[in-house]
């Protein structure tokens, strides 16, 4: 295995390692535009030129393989001069419209100019005019003047989606990125070309002019859009509420996890964030004499607790049904099960639904559109006795088996239609809805308790391959909303049972001690990339 | 667009000469241009379908080479060299004379479709400077009278 010395640090690397990969291992920063770890090597931007002892000219780090005894300097005068020259060429036709460019603040032309440029312009010629603000698809806006022709977006569409919508036409300084006339970048992963564009040439039409990137705060999370559980980053704006009309989430971005989603995420997941700030249930409410009235959170919990307490005392708890959504975290699910099944002794607690399947492909998009179906299975949040599924439990409610139905985030109307919901309401004395967003079920439920969305929660999801992954709260809950596990703690306290926890982590630790498939896991062990359930053998996850 | 069988057959012959299908793209495009006179968007799409790629990747190649036309060109496509040797030997007055004679500007095609005219970078016939190329034939060294005679005989 060849040894290489880079800036005085010696490192042994495997055969075929490029200088770029070796610098990454040594945490030495070499600037680049066209190189991307998830794509083939193009070697066209010339920004990663480094000084290799021996050859008279600087070499590109992304393509040059390390050989035994190679000595590389990334900070020598020769290397610096080469990078400066490259940058001068890349910027020669650039429009310098940073004040109106979305990329400003996270632009590698700006960043590298500050690190490696800092020259006075020698460019007296007329700049080439190219097309600006040209929509090239539902989600992507193209500005040809800002492009440095790194070809990352072209390679993404060729190598990752295989759809080949983008190309570089013409020659020399007239070269430009374009789509074929009448065609669009309309693949299911189009938003990724914006992420990998190192400059402001491709911007996101959804995010465009919404917020300056330096006002954003970022929190790592996991996409709740399907059972794949792609790793994401939630970018929110709390400091400038006037931008985006007070909405907190400005955009979602994929986060690297080679076990789950590489560097990518689908458009369906990327643009599925409006529910976090819109149409939220912010206060508890009840229906009194046909009129919805807002009540205190505590009163709503009291009211539900007394119904449960009475039922248990009078041995009627068999006439209570609980529907649980697999949008809930493992911690929420575990506490729901512990309280209703273990403590109250109920059978009918059910999370299995045959949801109408959504679109899917053989890459990241899964037909099961909830993030924690595998978690609910592993935790066995399923009814005992004769109940087959959530739908079965609903049919039995309509047949008169239950007096009380509590739904944790299951929109009965959305799932099975208005007729079933109305039939339930005719049979039960109480339909309680614990959830984050308004829907037809929450509007008709006699008691509503607000709960948090994933972006406000600490906890874990288990993806379709059995990988347990952390989510973290990006910001505090809206209104009175609380996580489901806390609502369970409140209910438990009022009914005299001891289901309690200080935080999600302590619940997770209880799960690892009581559920064998979670054995040996901890939040620390999950880290940023998650861990597989012990019952899952290492398999190809993607 | 429906590609005529005779052209399709020529494409197949071109592809058969290479180990990789992609390698035959330039010959396939040249055959297409010989057949249609220029490469339209429809031809690009047909070629893309035939080569198993997307149309924008065909356009990348078509727009890279000056020799491919994306618009119809005149029956006589005149390319006048204006690089060093031709320039030193006085191509500019001849270009002016040519433009006046055929009545079109650079990059244009005459309305009767008889002439197209464009300037060209070095065509590799410096010993004939100043020179021009009409379709596949080259003419030079030119002077005022020779140029007139050639154009009139077209």
């Amino acid at each position: 295995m060849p040894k290489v010395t880079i800036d005085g640090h010696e490192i042994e690397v495997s055969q075929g390692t490029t200088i770029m990969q070796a610098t990454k291992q040594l945490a030495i920063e070499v600037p680049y535009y066209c190189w991307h770890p998830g794509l083939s090597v193009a070697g066209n931007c010339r920004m990663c030129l480094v000084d290799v002892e021996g050859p008279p000219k600087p070499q590109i780090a992304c393509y040059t393989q390390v050989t035994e005894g190679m000595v590389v300097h990334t900070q020598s005068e020769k290397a610096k001069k080469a990078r400066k020259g490259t940058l001068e060429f890349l910027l020669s036709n650039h429009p310098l419209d940073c004040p109106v460019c979305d990329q400003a603040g996270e632009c590698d032309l700006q960043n590298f100019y500050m690190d490696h440029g800092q020259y006075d312009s020698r460019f007296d010629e007329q700049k080439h005019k190219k097309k600006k603000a040209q929509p090239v698809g539902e989600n992507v806006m193209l500005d040809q003047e800002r492009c440095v022709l790194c070809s990352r977006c072209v390679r993404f569409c060729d190598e990752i989606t295989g759809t080949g919508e983008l190309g570089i036409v013409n020659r020399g300084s007239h070269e430009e990125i374009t789509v074929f006339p009448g065609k669009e970048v309309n693949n299911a992963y189009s938003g990724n070309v914006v992420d990998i564009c190192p400059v402001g040439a491709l911007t996101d039409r959804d995010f465009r002019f919404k917020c300056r990137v330096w006002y954003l705060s970022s929190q790592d999370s996991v996409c709740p859009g399907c059972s794949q559980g792609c790793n994401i980053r939630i970018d929110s704006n709390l400091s400038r509420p006037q931008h985006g009309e007070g909405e907190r989430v400005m955009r979602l971005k994929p986060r690297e996890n080679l076990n789950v989603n590489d560097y990518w995420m689908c458009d369906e997941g990327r643009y599925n964030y409006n529910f976090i700030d819109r149409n939220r249930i912010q206060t508890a409410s009840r229906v009194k004499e046909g009129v919805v009235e807002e009540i205190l959170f505590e009163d709503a919990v009291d009211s539900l607790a007394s119904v449960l307490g009475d039922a248990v005392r009078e041995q009627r708890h068999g006439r209570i049904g609980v529907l649980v959504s697999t949008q809930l975290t493992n911690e929420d699910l575990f506490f729901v099960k512990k309280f209703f099944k273990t403590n109250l002794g109920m059978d009918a607690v059910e999370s299995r639904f045959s949801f109408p399947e959504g679109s899917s492909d053989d890459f990241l998009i899964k037909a099961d559109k909830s993030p924690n179906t595998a978690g609910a299975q592993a935790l066995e949040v399923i009814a005992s006795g004769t109940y087959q599924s959530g739908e079965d439990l609903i049919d039995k409610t309509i047949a008169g088996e239950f007096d009380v139905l509590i739904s944790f985030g299951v929109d009965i109307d959305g799932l099975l239609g208005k007729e079933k919901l109305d039939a339930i309401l005719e049979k039960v004395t109480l339909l309680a809805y614990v959830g984050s967003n308004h829907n037809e079920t929450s509007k008709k439920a006699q008691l509503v308790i607000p709960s948090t969305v994933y972006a406000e929660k600490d906890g874990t999801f288990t993806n379709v391959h059995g990988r347990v992954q952390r989510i973290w709260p990006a910001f505090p809950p809206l209104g009175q909303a609380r996580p489901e596990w806390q609502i369970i703690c409140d209910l438990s306290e009022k009914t005299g049972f001891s289901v309690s926890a200080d935080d999600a982590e302590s619940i997770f630790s209880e799960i690892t001690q009581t559920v064998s498939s979670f054995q040996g896991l901890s939040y620390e062990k999950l880290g940023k990339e998650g861990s597989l359930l012990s019952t899952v053998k290492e398999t190809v996850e993607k | 667009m429906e590609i005529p069988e005779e052209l399709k057959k020529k494409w197949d012959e071109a592809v058969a000469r290479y180990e990789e299908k992609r390698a035959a793209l330039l010959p396939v495009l040249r055959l297409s241009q010989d057949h249609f006179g220029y490469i339209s968007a429809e031809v690009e799409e047909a070629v893309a379908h035939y080569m198993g790629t997307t149309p924008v990747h065909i356009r990348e190649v078509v727009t890279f080479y000056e020799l491919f036309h994306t618009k119809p060109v005149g029956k006589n496509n005149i390319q006048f060299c204006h690089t060093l040797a031709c320039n030193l030997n006085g191509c500019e007055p001849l270009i002016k004379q040519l433009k006046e004679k055929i009545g079109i500007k650079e990059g244009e095609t005459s309305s009767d479709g008889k002439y197209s005219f464009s300037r060209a970078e070095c065509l590799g016939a410096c010993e004939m400077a100043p020179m021009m190329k009409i379709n596949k034939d080259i003419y030079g060294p030119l002077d005022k009278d020779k140029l007139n005679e050639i154009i009139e005989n077209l």
Side-chain angles (χ1 to χ4, degrees):
Chain A
M1 297 216 296
K3 279 200 188 94
V4 57
T5 308
I6 305 176
D7 294 347
H9 305 278
E10 197 183 65
I11 185 174
E12 193 172 342
V13 293
S14 56
Q15 196 68 42
T17 302
T18 59
I19 297 175
M20 178 72 83
Q21 289 164 332
T23 59
K24 295 262 168 205
Q25 288 177 33
L26 286 167
I28 290 171
E29 226 167 283
V30 171
Y32 54 83
Y33 295 105
C34 70
W35 187 76
H36 187 282
L39 302 171
S40 61
V41 176
N44 62 27
C45 79
R46 318 309 287 182
M47 197 59 205
C48 67
L49 284 167
V50 291
D51 181 3
V52 178
E53 281 186 17
K57 283 185 171 184
Q59 307 291 310
I60 50 172
C62 65
Y63 192 71
T64 311
Q65 290 184 5
V66 166
T67 53
E68 179 57 40
M70 185 184 262
V71 181
V72 179
H73 304 282
T74 72
Q75 298 301 325
S76 68
E77 277 314 305
K78 193 156 117 183
K80 282 182 184 169
K81 199 174 158 224
R83 288 200 284 266
K84 195 167 174 170
T86 298
L87 200 56
E88 194 174 6
F89 271 119
L90 288 175
L91 280 167
S92 60
N93 271 307
H94 188 81
L96 299 176
D97 56 350
C98 311
V100 293
C101 178
D102 261 359
Q103 192 83 2
E106 52 183 11
C107 173
D108 282 342
L109 276 173
Q110 288 184 330
N111 296 341
F112 297 161
Y113 178 79
M114 297 312 286
D115 294 341
H116 310 281
Q118 303 267 29
Y119 54 82
D120 290 322
S121 177
R122 295 186 287 168
F123 198 76
D124 296 329
E125 292 79 4
Q126 278 282 321
K127 294 190 179 199
H128 287 303
K129 296 281 176 217
K130 291 178 186 171
K131 280 198 196 118
K132 298 183 79 70
Q134 190 190 5
V136 287
E138 202 188 326
N139 305 313
V140 186
M141 188 70 90
L142 169 65
D143 184 313
Q144 294 175 329
E145 291 186 342
R146 295 178 187 157
C147 179
V148 295
L149 299 164
C150 73
S151 81
R152 276 183 178 181
C153 56
V154 176
R155 282 175 284 147
F156 179 84
C157 293
D158 284 348
E159 296 167 13
I160 307 298
T161 58
T163 45
E165 299 100 325
L166 288 165
I168 299 175
V169 298
N170 300 327
R171 196 180 58 232
S173 57
H174 299 283
E175 275 185 275
E176 56 195 30
I177 293 283
T178 192
V179 287
F180 195 75
K183 300 244 190 286
E184 293 191 325
V185 182
N186 54 4
N187 66 69
Y189 298 85
S190 68
N192 293 288
V193 299
V194 174
D195 301 337
I196 58 176
C197 180
V199 299
L202 297 173
T203 50
D204 195 318
R205 296 180 71 184
D206 178 71
F207 179 68
R208 206 167 135 82
F209 302 143
K210 215 154 71 170
C211 185
R212 278 303 191 180
V213 297
W214 48 87
Y215 295 139
L216 297 175
S217 325
S218 295
Q219 179 60 276
D220 290 344
S221 192
V222 169
C223 177
C226 84
S227 58
Q228 178 72 15
C230 292
N231 289 210
I232 59 165
R233 201 180 78 204
I234 300 171
D235 281 355
S236 60
N237 162 34
L238 303 178
S239 61
R240 293 288 190 288
Q242 70 273 26
H243 302 314
E245 290 155 1
E247 292 190 1
R248 298 170 298 172
V249 180
M250 295 286 105
R251 64 180 184 183
L252 303 180
K253 288 275 187 184
R255 176 166 60 92
E256 174 184 341
N257 187 337
L258 299 179
N259 297 305
V260 181
N261 55 298
D262 291 345
Y263 313 87
W264 326 117
M265 74 185 291
C266 73
D267 292 347
E268 192 181 316
R270 182 186 300 264
Y271 301 113
N272 171 36
Y273 63 83
N274 288 329
F275 74 93
I276 296 170
D277 291 312
R278 292 183 199 167
N279 194 32
R280 284 290 299 277
I281 303 174
Q282 296 203 32
T283 50
S285 64
R286 71 174 165 209
V287 177
K288 201 178 178 188
E289 285 152 11
V291 182
V292 179
E293 59 170 19
E294 292 188 353
I295 54 173
L296 289 174
F297 185 90
E298 291 72 22
D299 292 343
V301 171
D302 273 351
S303 160
L304 183 57
S306 75
V307 169
L308 295 171
D310 291 349
V312 172
R313 257 190 310 282
E314 294 160 18
Q315 296 287 313
R316 285 187 292 105
H317 53 279
R319 296 190 57 78
I320 301 174
V322 178
L323 301 172
V324 196
S325 161
T326 45
Q327 293 285 337
L328 271 58
T329 63
N330 290 317
E331 292 75 2
D332 294 329
L333 290 170
F334 180 74
F335 258 29
V336 167
K337 181 189 170 188
K338 184 176 172 184
F339 177 62
F340 288 104
K341 291 195 81 176
T342 315
N343 289 341
L344 300 187
M346 289 166 37
D347 286 332
V349 180
E350 187 56 84
S351 70
R352 289 172 297 177
F353 288 89
S354 39
F355 285 105
E357 293 207 333
S359 61
S360 65
D361 62 16
D362 55 4
F363 187 36
L364 299 178
I365 304 171
K366 297 288 176 285
D368 174 5
K369 297 301 175 193
S370 52
N372 204 21
T373 307
Q377 277 164 9
L379 296 165
E380 296 181 323
V381 186
I382 51 175
S384 6
T386 56
Y387 305 107
Q388 301 296 312
S389 66
E391 287 89 345
D392 183 35
L393 208 141
I394 285 166
D395 286 340
K396 283 173 175 155
T397 311
I398 295 166
E401 280 193 33
F402 301 109
D403 301 325
V404 176
L405 190 64
I406 305 167
S407 167
F408 282 88
V410 177
D411 176 13
I412 299 161
D413 175 273
L415 186 62
L416 298 167
K418 183 175 175 292
E419 292 72 26
K420 294 260 181 182
L421 179 61
D422 289 344
I424 288 171
L425 287 163
E426 273 177 31
K427 288 286 179 182
V428 297
T429 54
L430 174 66
L431 171 66
Y433 186 78
V434 182
S436 58
N437 290 73
H438 288 294
N439 51 44
E440 289 308 308
T441 308
S442 75
K443 282 177 194 158
K444 288 182 177 168
Q446 289 101 342
L447 185 67
V448 175
I449 299 177
S451 68
T452 49
V453 293
Y454 80 104
E456 299 162 338
K457 272 183 190 179
D458 208 348
T460 56
F461 288 139
T462 310
N463 86 350
V464 65
H465 302 293
R467 176 168 291 270
V468 185
Q469 306 192 94
R470 273 298 295 283
I471 57 169
W472 292 264
F475 30 69
L478 270 192
Q480 301 177 339
R482 308 188 74 181
E484 283 80 355
W485 66 263
Q486 271 186 351
I487 295 170
I488 294 292
C489 291
D490 294 344
L491 283 172
S492 167
E493 198 191 326
K494 304 279 183 194
T495 44
F497 289 99
S498 60
V499 181
S500 73
D502 292 333
D503 51 28
E505 184 165 14
S506 57
I507 304 174
F508 191 76
S509 127
E510 196 179 327
I511 295 174
T512 59
Q513 282 153 29
T514 48
V515 183
S516 62
S517 53
F518 283 84
Q519 217 171 17
L521 299 181
S522 66
Y523 274 11
E524 198 188 340
K525 194 175 171 208
L526 298 183
K528 294 276 185 199
E529 300 198 330
S531 290
L532 289 174
L533 291 171
S534 64
T535 40
V536 179
K537 289 207 176 67
E538 286 282 348
T539 50
V540 181
E541 289 183 51
K542 284 190 295 270
Chain B
M1 154 182 233
E2 205 51 49
I3 297 296
E5 270 314 309
E6 47 169 316
L7 179 58
K8 201 75 153 280
K9 216 179 127 209
K10 285 183 190 166
W11 283 359
D12 291 339
E13 283 162 13
V15 166
R17 290 201 299 271
Y18 298 91
E19 275 179 37
E20 246 192 85
K21 194 171 186 181
R22 241 160 66 109
L25 179 55
L26 283 179
V28 165
L29 286 173
R30 288 185 64 168
L31 289 166
S32 308
Q33 179 158 299
D34 288 348
H35 186 91
F36 296 108
Y38 70 108
I39 313 252
S40 64
E42 291 75 31
V43 173
E44 285 173 323
E45 288 194 278
V47 171
H49 181 74
Y50 177 76
M51 299 299 287
T53 183
T54 56
V56 74
H57 289 323
I58 305 301
R59 178 152 292 196
E60 288 180 319
V61 176
V62 171
T63 56
F64 185 88
Y65 293 99
E66 290 287 325
L67 295 170
F68 291 125
H69 311 301
T70 53
K71 281 184 285 201
V73 289
K75 199 168 139 241
N76 300 292
N77 182 27
I78 309 169
Q79 292 174 295
F80 216 112
C81 177
H82 71 158
T83 314
L84 189 64
C86 291
N87 210 303
L88 290 174
N89 282 295
C91 70
E92 289 304 331
L94 293 173
I95 288 175
K96 192 161 172 269
Q97 181 195 333
L98 173 70
K99 284 200 282 191
E100 278 161 12
K101 177 116 189 135
I102 58 179
I104 53 171
K105 291 200 210 82
E106 190 188 342
E108 287 183 347
T109 299
S110 60
S111 52
D112 60 2
K114 195 167 177 193
Y115 310 109
S116 292
F117 161 66
S118 58
R119 285 167 182 266
E121 302 303 334
C122 183
L123 291 165
C126 304
E127 77 283 6
M128 295 166 78
M131 61 78 64
M132 66 176 175
K133 184 168 161 262
I134 301 177
N135 298 332
K136 286 174 180 173
D137 303 315
I138 53 176
Y139 300 88
L142 297 169
D143 57 31
K144 227 171 141 187
D145 295 336
K146 270 193 198 155
L147 178 61
N148 256 345
E149 192 192 323
I150 293 164
I151 299 298
E152 271 159 23
N153 287 331
L154 283 175

